[in-house]
Amino acid sequence: MKLLKTLLPAAVVSFSALMMPTTFAAQWHMPTPYGDANLPTKIAYDFAENVKASTNGEVDIKVHSGASLMKHPEIPRAVRTGQVQLGEVFIGIMGNTDPIFKHDNIPFLATNYEQARALWEASKPEIEKQLSKEGMMLLYTVPWPAQSLYTKAPVNSLADIKGTKMRAYSPSTSRLADLMNTTPTTVQVPDIPQAFSTGIIDAMITSPSTGANGQAWDYLSHFNEIKAWIPKNVVVINKRAFKRLDKASQKAILDAAATAEARGWDEVTAQEAKDTKTLADNGIVVSQPSEQLLKELQAIGVTMTNEWEAESPQTLTPVLEAYRSK
């Protein structure tokens, strides 16, 4: 009986310790699909460092870049299920989940950074609502440089690339490839060089950053600055993981996220100019779109905007109206 009385308090303490919610994980994991040379990844590393410093190491985020922990399409599900605490993902890749995630993959809906910012602000409430339904919370977004056309030969009209294989990386880019009379072929960023070299793809629409960081001059020759849209990455966190943190740690994460987002929008234009120059300096022909090509692509943009809105008018029409009123 004396032994039981001695052990009972210790057992209660041990059980209580197990039942108390932990305020942080020993180490959190943040997968991102892009390599270390990309601006979003650089920002992710700084975000993690800011969180660690402001929480005195209590929230220690390890960034896994270049799809080293998991492939890009797997990241949203991993965050949603708590397999990882947070992750970075290209918004458009979630387009099959809900059409609101396609908002910044629509050609010629927003073609400069002021428009892209306005489109983001109009879309953000619905983005947050949908993420919440899926057990996630938005932390911050980072825009990519404007998306332009990479090919192995000059392109003055869509007829010049008809029947070729076009890289796709989201539902919207697959639809775009169809409307361009090309064949959509899904290829993630790390696989682009090999895909071009082996003939899996013949063309792609992506940022100058992707081309510069992937040394596109080794496998193609032309970069046409159509500047069709300005997509974004989002960093999302598992809601349960966030809610388990104490208030001070939550604030530290949100403050670091606000800093990260501001940096992304501040630095993207300089990054675009730098990476476009890198392409030219390495022998890629950088050109402006012909009037015919621009007209053909803008017509596709109108079609895709209408199709997108028709997917969920109740949700998307107010988003478009809010954007166009800004």
Side-chain angles (χ1 to χ4, degrees):
M1 192 68 177
K2 289 183 179 180
L3 179 60
L4 179 61
K5 289 181 179 180
T6 302
L7 291 177
L8 185 58
V12 170
V13 170
S14 298
F15 180 74
S16 299
L18 288 172
M19 293 302 292
M20 287 175 62
T22 57
T23 57
F24 60 88
Q27 185 170 73
W28 280 16
H29 296 279
M30 177 181 173
T32 176
Y34 302 102
D36 291 349
N38 288 281
L39 178 61
T41 310
K42 293 176 181 178
I43 291 175
Y45 280 118
D46 286 347
F47 164 75
E49 285 300 317
N50 287 344
V51 170
K52 184 176 181 179
S54 58
T55 61
N56 296 316
E58 292 185 351
V59 181
D60 185 5
I61 299 170
K62 180 174 177 56
V63 176
H64 300 268
S65 64
S68 57
L69 184 63
M70 56 189 56
K71 293 180 179 179
H72 194 174
E74 298 169 356
I75 294 174
R77 181 179 180 277
V79 176
R80 185 170 63 248
T81 60
Q83 184 180 351
V84 295
Q85 290 82 9
L86 70 169
E88 183 168 30
V89 63
F90 186 81
I91 296 178
I93 207 170
M94 297 187 287
N96 282 333
T97 303
D98 189 273
I100 191 60
F101 294 122
K102 299 178 182 179
H103 77 278
D104 67 354
N105 270 201
I106 309 297
F108 296 98
L109 181 58
T111 57
N112 62 49
Y113 295 101
E114 183 179 356
Q115 292 173 349
R117 192 68 179 262
L119 181 58
W120 170 241
E121 293 301 329
S123 305
K124 186 177 178 180
E126 286 296 332
I127 293 280
E128 291 181 317
K129 185 186 299 183
Q130 185 59 35
L131 287 172
S132 182
K133 288 180 182 177
E134 298 180 26
M136 295 182 283
M137 190 176 85
L138 174 70
L139 289 182
Y140 68 88
T141 182
V142 177
W144 282 97
Q147 306 290 283
S148 290
L149 178 63
Y150 290 84
T151 55
K152 296 179 178 180
V155 175
N156 294 306
S157 71
L158 291 181
D160 294 333
I161 54 173
K162 182 178 180 179
T164 60
K165 293 174 287 236
M166 176 75 69
R167 176 195 173 225
Y169 51 83
S170 68
S172 296
T173 53
S174 291
R175 177 58 177 153
L176 173 61
D178 284 333
L179 291 171
M180 292 173 69
N181 290 316
T182 61
T183 302
T185 306
T186 301
V187 175
Q188 300 303 329
V189 169
D191 303 321
I192 288 174
Q194 184 178 5
F196 267 102
S197 299
T198 57
I200 293 174
I201 54 174
D202 306 303
M204 64 180 176
I205 298 178
T206 191
S207 71
S209 300
T210 301
N213 295 330
Q215 297 184 350
W217 47 88
D218 289 338
Y219 47 85
L220 51 79
S221 56
H222 288 72
F223 179 69
N224 195 316
E225 290 192 283
I226 60 173
K227 296 190 175 183
W229 69 90
I230 296 167
K232 298 176 293 295
N233 287 358
V234 285
V235 172
V236 292
I237 188 170
N238 180 280
K239 284 202 309 184
R240 287 173 296 179
F242 183 79
K243 288 179 179 179
R244 283 196 293 264
L245 296 169
D246 60 69
K247 295 298 183 183
S249 295
Q250 290 180 356
K251 183 178 185 302
I253 288 177
L254 295 178
D255 288 347
T259 298
E261 179 155 331
R263 180 185 168 191
W265 287 97
D266 286 345
E267 295 186 15
V268 66
T269 51
Q271 190 71 50
E272 179 178 320
K274 176 185 176 184
D275 291 332
T276 302
K277 184 177 184 300
T278 297
L279 296 176
D281 288 347
N282 283 277
I284 288 182
V285 177
V286 176
S287 63
Q288 299 301 309
S290 68
E291 185 177 340
Q292 181 178 353
L293 179 61
L294 201 57
K295 185 177 179 180
E296 291 171 334
L297 290 171
Q298 287 172 339
I300 288 175
V302 171
T303 297
M304 289 186 64
T305 299
N306 292 338
E307 289 178 346
W308 176 62
E309 184 178 5
E311 288 187 54
S312 180
Q314 186 174 359
T315 298
L316 302 180
T317 298
V319 170
L320 282 169
E321 289 175 348
Y323 164 57
R324 288 166 173 160
S325 68
K326 290 183 181 292

